[in-house]
Amino acid sequence: MRYPIDFKDDFPSNLLFWLERFIYSKINSLSNHQVRNKQDILRILEQFRKGIPNIKALQEICKKCRSCGLIGINTYITPLVKLYEHLVYLGLASLKEVDEEMLKEFLTIHTSALSDATKKNYRMALLNLFAFIDKQNEDEQGTSYNFRIELKNWGGLRGKSGSKLPSYLNEDEIQRFLKGIDTFPFKHESLGYRNRLILKLIIYTGIRVSEALNLKTKDIMRDGDYYILQIRGKGNKPRVVMIKEKNISTDLTGWLELRPSHVEAELLFCNHKGTKLTQAYVSRVVEQVLMTNGIRKEKNGAHMLRHSFATLLYQKSQDLVLVQEALGHASLETSRIYTHFNKQKLKTTTEIM
C-alpha cells in the first residue's frame, strides 16, 4: 500500500512513519542465516504492525533485531536516527523541503570524525531511504513525489575506496599480547579458558569476531597436531581454517569441561546463562588485555586482531591470494590494503632513491 508523502499531520510524526516503514522493509530483506529463534522476529514484526511511538522505540527494536541475528540493521538505524534528530531540529514543515544539499550538509556535520567506511554507510542509508520513499509514496491522483537523491558529489570521502589503514599489532606486540592473554587475571577459571580461547582463535586464524561467536562445538575437529574449524563467513559462505593443537588445547579442554550444560544452539562460546556472547564484550576483553600490557592503538577492538593476522601473514608470505583465502574475502581488492604494510618494498624504494 502507498501513502501520500506527507501522510501524517506534523513533520516529526511523518518522518518517523517513513523511517518505520523503511526499517520494516529492511528487516524483511536482510540476510537471516544468523537468526536462531524465529519467534523473536515474529514478535518484532508484530510491534511494527501495532505502530512505533517514537524514534527511541524504533532504535530499541533495531537493537533487538541485532540481538536476534539480523546484524545488518545497524548499518541503517544509526545514521537514520541521527538524520531524524537533525531534520526535526531544523523545524521543517514538510518532507518535500528535504533536498540533496540539505542531506549533504547533514553528512558533512555528522560524519566529520568518522572513518571512510562509516561515512559510506551513512551515505548508503540515506540513498536507500529516499529511494524507498520515491517508490512508496503516492497521492490521491496517483502521482508520486520523487526526491531523486544521488549524493554523487558529496566530498566527505577521501578518494574512491576510503583506504584508511587499519590499526594492527606488529610482530613484537603480537608476542606480548599472546603472553598477556595467558597471564591476564580473569575473575573466574571458566572465563579465563573461554576468553583466552576466543582471542587465540581470532589472532591465530584471522576469523571475524562474529564468525568465532557463531562457532558450534561440532565445527571444531581434531586432525593430528591441528584443529580444523568450519567457518560460516559473510553471506553464509563456508570456508575452513586450521590452528595448531598446542596453541589452544589447554584452553579448549578446560572450557569444554566448565561450559554450561544447557547452551543455546550448541554454541561453542556462551555466557553463564548459555546464550550467545556479544562482539562488544569480546572487544572489551581485548582492550583490557592490551591496556594491562601497555599496548596502545588508535582502535583497540577485537577486529584489530584480524588485521594483525592479515598484516603478518602478508609480510611473511608476500602472497595476496593466500591472505584473501585465509580471511574469506570475496574480492582480492579487499585484501590489497595489506600490501601497504610491506616493509621490504618500502626499504627497496628507499635504497633506490
Side-chain angles (χ1 to χ4, degrees):
M1 186 173 179
R2 300 188 179 191
Y3 299 87
I5 189 71
D6 290 320
F7 181 64
K8 297 288 184 177
D9 294 332
D10 61 274
F11 180 80
S13 299
N14 194 50
L15 180 55
L16 178 64
F17 169 78
W18 284 109
L19 290 176
E20 177 186 335
R21 287 186 58 78
F22 173 70
I23 293 296
Y24 178 81
S25 73
K26 283 299 173 186
I27 289 173
N28 286 310
S29 61
L30 288 170
S31 171
N32 62 0
H33 76 274
Q34 292 191 29
V35 173
R36 300 175 300 280
N37 190 337
K38 295 179 181 178
Q39 292 302 316
D40 290 338
I41 300 298
L42 289 174
R43 282 191 285 269
I44 288 169
L45 295 177
E46 181 61 26
Q47 287 184 269
F48 278 93
R49 285 189 283 271
K50 291 179 179 178
I52 310 299
N54 51 57
I55 193 67
K56 292 295 183 185
L58 183 61
Q59 196 170 17
E60 287 302 314
I61 288 175
C62 289
K63 287 182 181 178
K64 292 179 181 177
C65 288
R66 181 177 173 82
S67 298
C68 291
L70 295 174
I71 59 176
I73 200 67
N74 254 24
T75 303
Y76 299 98
I77 189 58
T78 302
L80 295 182
V81 168
K82 294 288 186 184
L83 178 68
Y84 175 88
E85 294 169 347
H86 179 82
L87 296 180
V88 169
Y89 174 79
L90 294 179
L92 305 181
S94 167
L95 203 56
K96 293 179 181 179
E97 294 180 46
V98 179
D99 59 18
E100 181 120 352
E101 291 308 309
M102 190 179 293
L103 295 180
K104 286 181 180 179
E105 180 182 276
F106 162 76
L107 289 172
T108 300
I109 294 171
H110 289 276
T111 68
S112 59
L114 303 178
S115 69
D116 282 0
T118 306
K119 288 179 180 181
K120 285 183 177 181
N121 286 342
Y122 268 65
R123 178 178 178 273
M124 182 182 71
L126 266 57
L127 290 174
N128 277 253
L129 170 65
F130 286 96
F132 174 82
I133 299 175
D134 281 351
K135 294 177 181 178
Q136 295 297 320
N137 83 90
E138 187 176 277
D139 61 20
E140 294 178 355
Q141 288 73 43
T143 304
S144 297
Y145 182 87
N146 290 319
F147 292 92
R148 295 188 176 90
I149 301 297
E150 295 182 342
L151 300 174
K152 285 185 176 179
N153 298 318
W154 176 54
L157 296 172
R158 299 182 289 274
K160 289 186 177 180
S161 60
S163 55
K164 184 179 179 180
L165 300 182
S167 295
Y168 70 101
L169 302 174
N170 60 37
E171 191 170 357
D172 175 65
E173 289 169 333
I174 290 175
Q175 294 288 353
R176 286 165 57 196
F177 180 75
L178 288 171
K179 290 179 181 178
I181 294 173
D182 287 328
T183 58
F184 188 83
F186 292 105
K187 289 183 179 179
H188 306 291
E189 187 179 22
S190 61
L191 282 182
Y193 286 130
R194 184 195 68 190
N195 292 350
R196 285 192 295 269
L197 181 59
I198 294 173
L199 301 189
K200 288 178 181 179
L201 284 180
I202 295 171
I203 201 162
Y204 277 119
T205 68
I207 60 177
R208 299 176 178 91
V209 183
S210 60
E211 292 169 346
L213 298 183
N214 286 326
L215 280 171
K216 298 182 179 181
T217 51
K218 66 180 182 180
D219 293 331
I220 183 166
M221 297 159 285
R222 180 77 176 271
D223 184 7
D225 294 333
Y226 296 87
Y227 280 104
I228 296 175
L229 280 70
Q230 299 279 352
I231 305 296
R232 287 285 173 180
K234 285 186 176 180
N236 209 27
K237 291 183 296 186
R239 75 179 190 280
V240 174
V241 300
M242 298 180 73
I243 184 170
K244 287 185 176 180
E245 179 268 344
K246 66 178 183 179
N247 290 332
I248 61 167
S249 60
T250 301
D251 293 314
L252 178 61
T253 302
W255 168 238
L256 291 179
E257 288 178 355
L258 298 175
R259 176 171 162 268
S261 55
H262 299 290
V263 180
E264 183 181 280
E266 289 302 312
L267 290 169
L268 175 60
F269 299 113
C270 64
N271 58 27
H272 67 281
K273 296 179 181 178
T275 57
K276 188 177 177 181
L277 296 173
T278 65
Q279 295 190 41
Y281 172 79
V282 179
S283 286
R284 285 197 298 272
V285 174
V286 172
E287 290 178 5
Q288 290 169 356
V289 175
L290 289 171
M291 291 178 64
T292 302
N293 290 274
I295 303 173
R296 297 286 187 273
K297 294 294 173 181
E298 182 182 356
K299 291 187 177 181
N300 292 332
H303 196 66
M304 183 185 62
L305 302 185
R306 177 172 160 89
H307 289 314
S308 303
F309 166 87
T311 301
L312 191 59
L313 180 61
Y314 183 73
Q315 287 178 347
K316 297 292 185 181
S317 69
Q318 301 294 300
D319 188 340
L320 198 58
V321 175
L322 179 62
V323 175
Q324 179 195 8
E325 292 175 350
L327 295 185
H329 285 161
S331 169
L332 193 63
E333 288 304 310
T334 309
S335 311
R336 198 171 295 281
I337 188 172
Y338 297 107
T339 63
H340 292 286
F341 303 105
N342 191 336
K343 290 183 180 178
Q344 188 54 49
K345 285 185 178 180
L346 293 176
K347 287 179 181 177
T348 301
T349 304
T350 304
E351 292 303 322
I352 290 173
M353 292 308 296

